[in-house]
Amino acid sequence: MPSTAPHDAPLFPEVEPEAAGRLAVDMRHALYWESSGNPYGVPVVFLHGGPGGGCLPHHRRFFDPEFWRIVLFDQRGAGRSTPYAELVDNTTWHLIADMERLRAHLGVDRWLLFGGSWGSTLALAYAQAYPERCLGLVLRGVFLARPAEIDWFMEGMRVVFPEAWRAFVEFLPEQERSDLLGSYYRRLTDPDPAVHLPAAAAWDRYEGACVALLPDSDPARAEGDPVASLAIARIEAHYFVNRAFLADDELLQQIDRIRHLPCTIVQGRYDVVCPPVTADALARAWPEAEYVVVPDAGHSIREPGITRELVAAMLRMRARLTAEGGAAPARS
């Protein structure tokens, strides 16, 4: 369906966490988590992209804090989780297990999953593993981690962004350019910061140049702290090399496990990082899901049309849960 949300659907006001902590999920990894909004509200968990991207305060603002108990967490190796940019024991299945551990730690029975890009992948994988723990899903910029999608990121985006792709390739010595993913992975996992930090910055510049319909005139992303780029570049490459630890088409083949759950898919028409063909495949496999195409947007969650439709989707989810008896009690 086309975009129909009102053009003035804003983000909710800023809200500070009412609780936060680090949860040890094994002998190596500890996850940063936070909870904001209504502590007695309907739980919603934000699944960030990347993988390796981490959560930001901005991400709390997609949810009505009077209704939702808003849970954010940084996945293994990302953001404020420790150890930073760590690849050992970092797989899709570890992340799913981490979500279950966090859910139990917070005393949540069921929660709504809200994820974009890689976060949509993780939301689908978790929901298919634990459908009984899910109230529904709101997905953005769908990524199913199929080989063709990974190959598109590494090679295909040059069709639309040849300048960015050329800079991405030319960062590497000529003898390393025949296998972009393998060459970047070797550099990103090299223990020497003089090797892995420049590679992370080059990866981040490439992705950042392709993520929005209209490029940001502020080049801060490209010129920021190179260490901040390491987790997303290294962990993305790790998951790409390992095909996200999923079988080909696994998430589509298992879709019947979750078709009874309410779902809204929000997709930018001009999303180059995760093109609409993937969201279309998911919508065709899941005809009960609501599929919203934003005609004037790319991939970024910050694009006005994407923001508008995600807020509208959450308002519809709130109305649905209220009608089904899932309304949050008033604050005490």
Side-chain angles (χ1 to χ4, degrees):
M1 62 179 282
S3 171
T4 58
H7 287 278
D8 60 349
L11 289 170
F12 289 94
E14 293 183 8
V15 59
E16 294 299 317
E18 49 86 18
R22 278 192 172 82
L23 176 65
V25 290
D26 61 20
M27 295 296 290
R28 183 185 305 270
H29 290 275
L31 306 185
Y32 171 83
W33 65 269
E34 64 178 49
S35 178
S36 57
N38 186 345
Y40 307 103
V42 176
V44 56
V45 60
F46 184 101
L47 303 178
H48 67 69
C55 288
L56 298 169
H58 170 80
H59 296 154
R60 306 174 196 138
R61 300 184 60 197
F62 289 88
F63 316 103
D64 180 354
E66 295 293 325
F67 182 85
W68 299 100
R69 181 185 181 187
I70 306 159
V71 177
L72 274 60
F73 76 100
D74 293 334
Q75 297 157 30
R76 292 189 178 211
R80 290 154 288 185
S81 293
T82 57
Y84 180 72
E86 178 60 68
L87 302 183
V88 174
D89 295 330
N90 195 334
T91 73
T92 303
W93 307 106
H94 284 100
L95 302 187
I96 291 170
D98 291 348
M99 289 178 63
E100 265 300 273
R101 188 181 291 260
L102 178 61
R103 182 194 60 77
H105 176 73
L106 297 177
V108 170
D109 180 39
R110 295 197 297 160
W111 49 9
L112 185 85
L113 310 179
F114 182 105
S117 197
W118 162 255
S120 72
T121 322
L122 183 57
L124 290 165
Y126 174 87
Q128 290 173 10
Y130 295 100
E132 72 280 4
R133 296 303 182 187
C134 302
L135 293 168
L137 301 89
V138 173
L139 309 175
R140 170 195 62 83
V142 173
F143 179 63
L144 299 177
R146 297 175 295 180
E149 297 170 57
I150 296 170
D151 293 345
W152 169 263
F153 180 93
M154 299 305 304
E155 299 276 358
M157 292 200 301
R158 62 180 167 176
V159 172
V160 182
F161 291 101
E163 304 90 347
W165 184 82
R166 186 161 51 248
F168 182 58
V169 172
E170 291 177 351
F171 167 81
L172 297 171
E174 191 167 354
Q175 65 271 20
E176 296 183 34
R177 296 175 187 173
S178 61
D179 178 12
L180 292 180
L181 180 55
S183 297
Y184 265 98
Y185 186 60
R186 284 189 292 274
R187 287 174 173 268
L188 290 166
T189 55
D190 191 291
D192 185 352
V195 176
H196 63 239
L197 289 181
W203 182 291
D204 192 47
R205 283 194 297 270
Y206 171 55
E207 186 169 3
C210 304
V211 79
L213 179 63
L214 298 177
D216 192 339
S217 59
D218 179 3
R221 176 180 171 119
E223 297 180 359
D225 181 358
V227 176
S229 304
L230 181 60
I232 192 165
R234 178 184 285 172
I235 297 174
E236 276 188 1
H238 170 67
Y239 274 74
F240 286 3
V241 164
N242 291 285
R243 302 301 187 188
F245 306 92
L246 297 167
D248 292 355
D249 277 329
E250 180 171 347
L251 297 178
L252 290 181
Q253 291 172 358
Q254 299 292 326
I255 204 68
D256 285 351
R257 293 181 57 79
I258 58 174
R259 281 179 57 182
H260 63 286
L261 295 171
C263 176
T264 297
I265 302 164
V266 175
Q267 178 67 39
R269 172 62 70 193
Y270 299 104
D271 186 337
V272 174
V273 176
C274 295
V277 65
T278 303
D280 180 76
L282 179 61
R284 288 171 64 84
W286 195 348
E288 299 84 0
E290 177 187 39
Y291 180 35
V292 180
V293 177
V294 184
D296 57 350
H299 184 69
S300 173
I301 193 172
R302 292 181 179 270
E303 303 223 30
I306 299 291
T307 294
R308 183 177 68 245
E309 290 296 340
L310 289 173
V311 170
M314 290 304 301
L315 292 173
R316 292 193 297 274
M317 281 289 183
R318 182 179 70 181
R320 178 169 182 157
L321 292 173
T322 300
E324 294 173 354
R331 289 180 182 269
S332 59

